[in-house]
Amino acid sequence: MHCQRLVSFFLIISIFTMTSCASLKYQTKVSLSQGIVGQVFEQKGNKMPQVGKAFSKGNPFPTTIYVFEPTNISQVQKIEGNIIKNITTRLVANYQTDDLGKFKIKLTPGKYTVVVGYEGAYFTPYFSTQNELSLIHVVANEFTNLDVIINVKASY
């Protein structure tokens, strides 16, 4: 009887150890070393180039970064310039920037559409030549830099 309890005890310890190691292996596997990094700015007012005046990206703008599956212009609703009211592709994740609009988002390798929250809608920084919204390609073991300049209230 004593041997059976001892065997049961070691069996439980073995299962616990294997489960713990499997968990550690899984955690290592999902530990990501790639994604996007950058900062969000907002420009307002006259931004025409002026002699003797340095270019400014604008003021830091804290907001939410939204990461969607690759999105084409045909997959959005109510678009006005760079402002979009609704995106119909799947939301992969969303992240809050810090108070200075800075962010670092870990993602698996692949293509994503990245937009930022702005006045109850989304702001897309650019469109590709194939009418894709701010398409970002995340490469393994690299962080892609993406500074977003919201220029809705700027004039040029």
Side-chain angles (χ1 to χ4, degrees), residues 93-124:
N94 61 339
Y95 300 88
Q96 184 64 43
T97 66
D98 69 9
D99 292 342
L100 296 175
K102 293 182 179 181
F103 61 91
K104 184 174 187 178
I105 303 170
K106 295 179 179 182
L107 297 165
T108 57
K111 293 182 180 180
Y112 302 94
T113 286
V114 180
V115 296
V116 298
Y118 186 73
E119 296 185 353
Y122 302 111
F123 176 83
T124 182

Side-chain angles (χ1 to χ4, degrees), residues 4-147:
Q4 284 179 335
R5 287 185 188 174
L6 195 55
V7 168
S8 295
F9 173 76
F10 282 115
L11 184 59
I12 290 170
I13 293 297
S14 297
I15 291 170
F16 177 77
T17 303
M18 286 188 289
T19 305
S20 297
C21 290
S23 294
L24 288 174
K25 185 176 179 183
Y26 176 73
Q27 290 172 356
T28 302
K29 191 181 250 185
V30 297
S31 174
L32 304 175
S33 58
Q34 67 274 324
I36 57 174
V37 61
Q39 190 171 5
V40 181
F41 301 91
E42 181 183 32
Q43 291 182 340
K44 293 181 180 180
N46 182 4
K47 294 300 169 191
M48 287 294 290
Q50 297 176 11
V51 176
K53 188 173 180 183
F55 171 78
S56 169
K57 290 183 179 181
N59 295 321
F61 188 80
T63 186
T64 303
I65 307 292
Y66 296 92
V67 181
F68 286 90
E69 290 179 337
T71 305
N72 188 283
I73 198 168
S74 65
Q75 297 169 301
V76 301
Q77 299 169 352
K78 296 183 181 177
I79 185 168
E80 296 175 19
N82 289 56
I83 300 294
I84 299 163
K85 299 290 183 186
N86 188 26
I87 298 175
T88 60
T89 54
R90 186 178 70 85
L91 178 66
V92 174
N94 61 339
Y95 300 88
Q96 184 64 43
T97 66
D98 69 9
D99 292 342
L100 296 175
K102 293 182 179 181
F103 61 91
K104 184 174 187 178
I105 303 170
K106 295 179 179 182
L107 297 165
T108 57
K111 293 182 180 180
Y112 302 94
T113 286
V114 180
V115 296
V116 298
Y118 186 73
E119 296 185 353
Y122 302 111
F123 176 83
T124 182
Y126 61 90
F127 298 92
S128 75
T129 55
Q130 287 81 31
N131 287 325
E132 296 163 317
L133 277 67
S134 52
L135 192 65
I136 298 292
H137 189 185
V138 174
V139 179
N141 301 313
E142 291 182 22
F143 277 89
T144 301
N145 191 38
L146 176 67
D147 284 347

